[in-house]
Amino acid sequence: MQMTEENLRGLFGRMTGDEKHGWAAASTLHAIWVLYERVLNVSPSNIDDPGRDRFYLSKGHGPMAYYAVLAAKGFIEPETLDTWRQWGSPLGMHPDRNLAPGVEISSGSLGHGLPLGVGTALGLRAQGRDARVVVLMGDGEFDEGSNHETMAIAGRLGLGSLTAVVIDNKTASLGWPGGIAGRFEQEGWAATTVDGRDHDALEKALTGETDGRPRAVIAEILPIEEGSTA
Amino acid sequence: MTAQVTRKQMRTVFAETVIESLATDPRVVMLTADISSWFFWEVKKDFPDRVHNFGIREQAMIDIAGGFALAGQRPVVHTYAPFLVERPFEQIKIGLGHQDVGAVLVSVGASYDDPSWGRTHQAPGDVALLDTLPGWTVHVPGHEDEVAPLLSKAIAGDNRVYVRLSERANSEAVPVSEKFTVLRRGKAGVVLAVGPVLDQVLAATATADVTVLYASTIRPFDHAGLREAVAAAAPNVVLVEPYLRGTSAFEVTEALGDVPHRLRSFGTWRDREARVYGTPEEHDRLFGVDAESLADSIARFVG
């Protein structure tokens, strides 16, 4: 089935029961969709292949967009979305890799995805594989000290197979003067800031050539104006 | 005392064992946070992608270990005990346990290997903390010769293992076993010695009519071994552990759920910090786990 964004909106609505407001609030959806649709080599047919690309959803709260994309891509039956958060469902408010098909890490508490991603990228490097590891996090999550430890490690090790996607909807309590991209650059990453709803811009930032440095894509999601069609 | 001069530190045996495993098992990766990293400088030349020193970044290190395990590697992770277990405790819970992946965590420093460093370098709560998480095997070797067999087996497996190394060691090794080892048999009670407290327990019970059990593996707890020993003696159980007093008391209670028994636990204080420096032996006396104090306490308890 060729999944369109219209279908995706329907899948999303199966969980939220609200295709308009929930959809607009899904700050992660665009980046996850672009990753699974245009960037990553991962699908239900190669999910057990150790050489597959990895997507780690570090920002595990509000995973409806993630589940919708996984359903759209055939990892999860669409009917399963109707059960989310219920007893016996594989889909919770935070994803569990041991329950949900296609989910690569169990997440929910902040600050674990990036170091898990670095470990996996280093493991794949030790195995001589060139698979990519993409970690999606939020700007509030970026506050966590573990991320800053990890940013330094990945920069120093020149971990070119690693990408951090930071959804920046300006929710970090004390903010990041000068922006998040500058922090990554200071630690030796190649950082790009794009409009987090612009699929082509996201794709370009996620696939452009790098010089071996780990890559950070800051996907800015600004509040939607009244009457917007987004 | 020439024998002591030639004895190796547990930490040295650990490094030798890991270096050997790096050459023979391509799954193995060694992660450090500066502590002991010098042991691995040479072998990193042979295995640059499998030996990493991340600097003093313990939270990242534990999650990175989880990431390695997700990729199919076998991470061995090492630093000083408080920084390995206490500081990154949520990383242990989420990055390893909740992902349901394994790693071998190897600490040094124990509860008070060098109390002159003060509270910051003491981790008497490490085993009790891991008890709050499912699925951990815990080894507490009491002699350097016990380290290699315990560690080699841990590295060859897939599960979550904590190896608690100490700079203190018993005068002789006990062959490693997953079960408790019976070192002495008696009638008045059963004394369980965990790891590097065995010398003082043996000295304390030299003339007592008690069974002495030894454990270098304390999780899983050998329920059957304890029941067997208690069945052959008065049900007076003494627990001597080199960390928080009573850490294994709940396991004793589980093991003897249907056996009327008495239990007395020894270890470090739970209710206050020992805010003093000095030597490990002075702290043994403070906590009542030196041979003389134990002899007195055990005699009064089983007598």
Side-chain angles (χ1 to χ4, degrees), chain A residues 64-82:
Chain A
M64 297 91 85
Y66 186 34
Y67 293 151
V69 171
L70 288 175
K73 288 294 170 187
F75 293 94
I76 297 172
E77 293 297 321
E79 294 71 33
T80 308
L81 299 178
D82 302 331

Side-chain angles (χ1 to χ4, degrees), chain A residues 1 59-60 114:
Chain A
M1 174 174 64
K59 183 180 149 80
L114 195 60

